Amino acid sequence: MASPGRPKHERQPLYIAGQRYSTNDTFQTIDPSCDQPLADICKADQAAVNAAVSAGQKAFPSWSTTSPMERSRILLRAVALLRQRTDDLARIETHDTGKPFSETSTVDITTGTDTLEYYANLIASGGLNGETTQLRPDAWLYTTKNALGVCAGIGAWNYPIQIALWKSAPCLAAGNCMVYKPSEFTPLHALQLAEIYTEAGVPPGVFNVVQGAGDVGAMLTSHPDIAKVSFTGQVSTGGKVASAAAAGMKYVTMELGGKSPCLILPDADVETAVNGAMMANFFSSGQVCTNGTRVFVPTSMLSAFEKCLLKKMPDIRPGDLMDPSTNFGPLVSKVHREKVTKYIRHGIEVDGAKLLSGGLGNPTALGGAIDTNGYWVKPTVFTNCTDSMLITTEEIFGPVMCILPYDDSGAPAQYTSQLIQRANNTQTGLAAGIFTRNIDLAHSMIARIEAGITWINTWGESPADMPVGGWKLSGVGVENGRKGLEMWTRNKSTLVEMGGSVASVFTKLERESKL
């Protein structure tokens, strides 16, 4: 495949009521692979946010009463357009995020489109149906699932178009309208998606885009006419967003971060376990909220695990992001690279963890055709880590694996119980995984793990059918699956009495006449 250039993209306006909407204030989005500007982005102000919400309010009565079958047809046309333009959209995502084209073309666009297709088909096959119950011969109870109104979607920078589709697909399928704000670090996908929706037949105002940083998100979250806020991002920001939404009694879905455990049991195949741990730490350069960054390895396997891991580390291939063999890119921004390198330095100099691979140093040591002006860091492995180290307790969100040995010399019931206790020793609970040949044991351990997304003998796959959401500080509600559609509706229950009279305590008492 030829390596396309990195053209500077056109100025990116907002998208309101089915049209491009420009503002005077702009910011730049930067190509993280080379630290060069990609495009000027119009920044929303309060007037633009108000206009976007008003456009949604105007479109809502018609869109919410459009039949699910017709909404499905429109959304499936958007699916077809997304699939036709996968490579073009993937190139934009690669420019904006720094992720290899081999990833954006096979994961980001594809999985987002799969979700839109899933919900379009779900609503066409009764996914929005309520329930009917006969209470007694002359009384019935029925429920309906009703659209919420105009909703806000606030995206993250690590999977831009996938997250935009994970939010907008069930939102629009359920009959709602959306005002979507992408991350200011990766904004280029939003206009593309909005115009695809319009081309597919989504009415003006049903999907609107406002751009900007956290202040624009705050305008949406606090807007009195927003019915729901769906946010993906870090825990600290999510808490603020949820608090602001709660003040207006808005519905919320929060998909936040974690410090997820990856448990390797003594009977696991070493190479399989290493492959799983690498996917759980280095895919997307470690910028995945569900990453299993705490890798628990039995002492009986530790040497073999480390040896196999070191042998496979060269399979992490940085380079030209459009080269199909490249599978590792830079971090998304300069500020994020500084954050990740600060954690790596702390692991070496303060935590005193053993550096097994990677670390600090000149990025040219990565090899491959990389621009040293980009935000590159080495994939890093620490071993002999303990539960109290900063690198094992705080979310790094970069390609940093921490190996935590555990003693497996005793009875399995004893060390698995201690292992679960250590795995759960975190305020977050987003994801977890177990590698073992003993499936019965895996099921029993997964049942005791405090996390909302779990895997057995694999890591990271989140198909559209699978509800995903965190426990504890990792979030509220779920995305995807049938449960994900319910997050965008409100229930109405109706009791119908057909007996022709109303039972009442307010009836005339019959009194005996006095002589």
Side-chain angles (χ1 to χ4, degrees), residues 60 63-64 71 146-151 170-178 206 227 485 488-489:
F60 177 72
W63 181 246
S64 62
R71 288 203 300 266
N146 299 266
L148 299 169
V150 183
C151 304
C171 175
L172 271 56
N176 301 293
C177 299
M178 173 166 277
V206 172
L485 185 62
W488 295 91
T489 64

Side-chain angles (χ1 to χ4, degrees), residues 60-349:
F60 177 72
S62 175
W63 181 246
S64 62
T65 55
T66 299
S67 71
M69 186 65 74
E70 180 57 27
R71 288 203 300 266
S72 174
R73 292 189 186 106
I74 293 171
L75 296 180
L76 286 174
R77 288 198 288 269
V79 168
L81 292 170
L82 286 163
R83 297 211 190 281
Q84 290 170 12
R85 300 172 192 175
T86 292
D87 283 0
D88 291 339
L89 293 168
R91 289 186 186 97
I92 292 171
E93 288 290 84
T94 291
H95 295 164
D96 217 12
T97 64
K99 297 203 287 188
F101 181 78
S102 63
E103 179 183 336
T104 57
S105 61
T106 60
V107 177
D108 298 48
I109 318 300
T110 302
T111 57
T113 305
D114 287 348
T115 302
L116 183 59
E117 185 173 25
Y118 173 83
Y119 283 116
N121 287 325
L122 182 60
I123 61 170
S125 56
L128 290 171
N129 289 353
E131 299 175 343
T132 303
T133 303
Q134 185 173 11
L135 297 178
R136 48 187 179 270
D138 55 1
W140 290 81
L141 169 68
Y142 68 89
T143 66
T144 57
K145 297 175 183 178
N146 299 266
L148 299 169
V150 183
C151 304
I154 302 176
W157 48 255
N158 58 335
Y159 281 88
I161 197 167
Q162 183 209 64
I163 291 173
L165 284 161
W166 277 22
K167 295 185 186 305
S168 63
C171 175
L172 271 56
N176 301 293
C177 299
M178 173 166 277
V179 180
Y180 175 67
K181 190 200 86 68
S183 166
E184 66 273 25
F185 291 107
T186 53
L188 290 180
H189 66 286
L191 180 63
Q192 297 288 323
L193 178 59
E195 294 190 332
I196 284 174
Y197 273 140
T198 296
E199 186 177 345
V202 172
V206 172
F207 184 78
N208 308 278
V209 173
V210 294
Q211 302 274 18
D215 59 329
V216 178
M219 294 177 199
L220 282 173
T221 303
S222 61
H223 199 289
D225 295 321
I226 289 291
K228 171 176 176 167
V229 178
S230 176
F231 173 83
T232 299
Q234 63 184 14
V235 173
S236 58
T237 306
K240 297 174 183 176
V241 172
S243 296
M249 298 302 291
K250 304 179 192 300
Y251 289 73
V252 294
T253 299
M254 298 281 131
E255 201 278 292
L256 310 178
K259 194 68 178 176
S260 301
C262 176
L263 311 181
I264 314 299
L265 299 192
D267 70 331
D269 175 75
V270 174
E271 186 172 4
T272 299
V274 168
N275 287 338
M278 290 182 71
M279 285 296 292
N281 282 272
F282 302 130
F283 188 73
S284 265
S285 301
Q287 299 172 123
V288 185
C289 55
T290 54
N291 264 5
T293 55
R294 293 185 295 145
V295 182
F296 291 88
V297 179
T299 53
S300 64
M301 186 195 292
L302 185 61
S303 176
F305 185 92
E306 292 177 350
K307 182 178 179 180
C308 183
L309 178 60
L310 288 173
K311 182 179 179 181
K312 287 180 171 289
M313 289 298 286
D315 293 336
I316 302 173
R317 296 180 299 274
D320 181 346
L321 298 180
M322 293 300 174
D323 186 329
S325 67
T326 298
N327 62 11
F328 185 83
L331 299 183
V332 74
S333 67
K334 183 179 293 185
V335 66
H336 190 55
R337 181 184 62 182
E338 291 172 354
K339 173 188 172 184
V340 172
T341 54
K342 183 178 179 180
Y343 275 110
I344 294 173
R345 182 173 291 108
H346 193 283
I348 296 169
E349 298 176 358

